[in-house]
Amino acid sequence: MYPQLSRRLRLGVVGGGRIASMQSMAARLSDHWEVTAGALSSNAGQAAIRAEQWRLSAERSYTCFTEMAKRESSRDDGIDAVMITTPNHLHAEASQAFLESGIAVLCDKPMTNTMQEASALVDAVGVHNEVFGVSYVMSCFPMVRQARELVSQGCIGEVNQIHVEFLQDWMTPPEVGSADHVKWRLDPAKSGATSCTGDIGTHAAHLASFVSGCVLTRVRAEMHVCGSPKPLEDTVMMMTRYNDQIPGTLIATRLAPGNRGGLRVRVFGSQGGVEWDLENAETLKLSRYGEPDSLITRGHGHGVSANVERLVRSGRGFPEGIIEAWGNLYTEFAMAVAAHRDNLQLPDNWIQLPDVLDGARGVSFVEAAVESNAAGGAWTECQLVL
């Protein structure tokens, strides 16, 4: 199990919407964090209302994240880390402000809207020597970790195909675009050059590389508006290449009726394959050619490795889901922050928290997809991020 920390870490929140509420709930679930400060709105009235709802003291409720970073860094009981859950266009500036103040950051994805901003954050993390995580939460499901371990151990042989899809249906009704939490996702000034690709496509791309251990190097993308007219795409379809030669596919859409959380990854190799589906997140299918298929179930024992069991909270047969996966993300973030601040010693490979380089790779993927689509679906290189 993970070691007990000397105290709960203090967490700040920038952005007070639905995702922030979910993440703060998960942070508390981990039992390693308490939420003590926040810039929950740039509107003073709304910030005060939300601070009261979040049980934050008035003196630690802010309307400006730069002021929050400055004031919290000067307090003896200031925050140890901050979650950034604003619309995309503010990720880079907010992250920079807290890094410069010596505060660890967990940033929502996509990490930034441009590679220029992403590269600047990579540099800032190095200069300020702070922990930086990116919320690719799908990599924190126990069965995803089990899949990654099986592939890395050679259980399916040499990887030769990688397929991933993320199918949702919530944007099917034409009127959904008028909802407040949707408007910014379709606004290029806030969401960047993409909507679907930068939001759920990045989850799919990260998951494919995370499970397979392969680097996404090229894409051939076509972006579409399949539903009512929108300024940004609601669907993207891609051919992909990993390690310059391994073929794959990536599809993401918000207009697939009947699919709510249709994230599915399949990695096939010379001896077998692994398959995981978010809507059936408790199980992992392992197939070895010529042998009966195996179905591994989330829980203790029965094929689940000791490394994966650290992320399991309840016994087999008692379901866990997305909140627990977020809790795993915040557990690993807490361990990384504690290791950095208090010299906490952790065994190798205990933390697989997506970091600033993973975030930059996600931005590179988005930019390559945009460039490919603009060129009529031409093969386009992803910028290599080491």
Side-chain angles (χ1 to χ4, degrees), residues 77-339:
D77 63 347
I79 58 173
D80 299 293
V82 66
M83 69 163 75
I84 308 293
T85 61
T86 64
N88 302 349
H89 69 299
L90 296 174
H91 289 180
E93 184 181 356
S95 296
Q96 286 280 5
F98 286 94
L99 288 173
E100 291 169 4
S101 296
I103 295 171
V105 175
L106 183 62
C107 183
D108 209 353
K109 51 81 224 152
M111 186 174 75
T112 64
N113 276 346
T114 69
M115 272 306 296
Q116 182 178 1
E117 292 174 330
S119 297
L121 277 186
V122 171
D123 291 342
V125 169
V127 168
H128 299 290
N129 189 29
E130 279 299 335
V131 174
F132 192 102
V134 179
S135 60
Y136 286 122
V137 66
M138 304 306 175
S139 66
C140 298
F141 280 89
M143 289 297 93
V144 169
R145 296 295 177 91
Q146 186 70 58
R148 174 185 171 96
E149 188 170 302
L150 291 171
V151 173
S152 70
Q153 292 174 347
C155 291
I156 67 169
E158 185 175 348
V159 173
N160 56 35
Q161 292 183 60
I162 302 168
H163 304 282
V164 62
E165 61 186 36
F166 203 159
L167 311 182
Q168 300 179 332
D169 67 358
W170 62 270
M171 203 174 272
T172 301
E175 67 273 10
V176 73
S178 60
D180 288 340
H181 73 281
V182 178
K183 287 180 181 178
W184 74 261
R185 298 179 187 276
L186 297 173
D187 182 355
K190 295 181 178 180
S191 183
T194 75
S195 181
C196 178
T197 307
D199 187 11
I200 62 175
T202 50
H203 271 308
H206 178 263
L207 186 64
S209 288
F210 185 85
V211 172
S212 69
C214 301
V215 178
L216 180 59
T217 50
R218 285 185 289 158
V219 300
R220 185 177 178 181
E222 291 186 358
M223 298 179 182
H224 304 275
V225 175
C226 293
S228 57
K230 304 175 186 68
L232 294 172
E233 91 290 354
D234 55 37
T235 300
V236 63
M237 301 180 182
M238 301 186 196
M239 300 291 289
T240 54
R241 290 290 184 273
Y242 297 81
N243 298 352
D244 291 329
Q245 57 184 356
I246 300 171
T249 58
L250 188 154
I251 301 173
T253 182
R254 292 163 169 156
L255 282 98
N259 292 268
R260 283 81 182 180
L263 175 60
R264 186 182 184 194
V265 61
R266 293 168 288 175
V267 180
F268 300 116
S270 57
Q271 299 174 23
V274 291
E275 302 181 41
W276 181 80
D277 183 342
L278 175 61
E279 293 190 359
N280 298 283
E282 298 278 280
T283 59
L284 171 68
K285 181 180 178 182
L286 169 64
S287 305
R288 287 180 55 83
Y289 186 76
E291 301 177 10
D293 293 340
S294 299
L295 198 65
I296 302 171
T297 305
R298 194 269 321 140
H300 298 287
H302 298 277
V304 176
S305 75
N307 285 335
V308 173
E309 283 192 343
R310 281 197 304 275
L311 304 177
V312 173
R313 288 178 169 77
S314 59
R316 191 179 309 277
F318 296 88
E320 294 181 4
I322 188 67
I323 297 297
E324 288 83 359
W326 277 112
N328 290 335
L329 182 75
Y330 274 91
T331 293
E332 292 195 326
F333 186 46
M335 293 300 123
V337 171

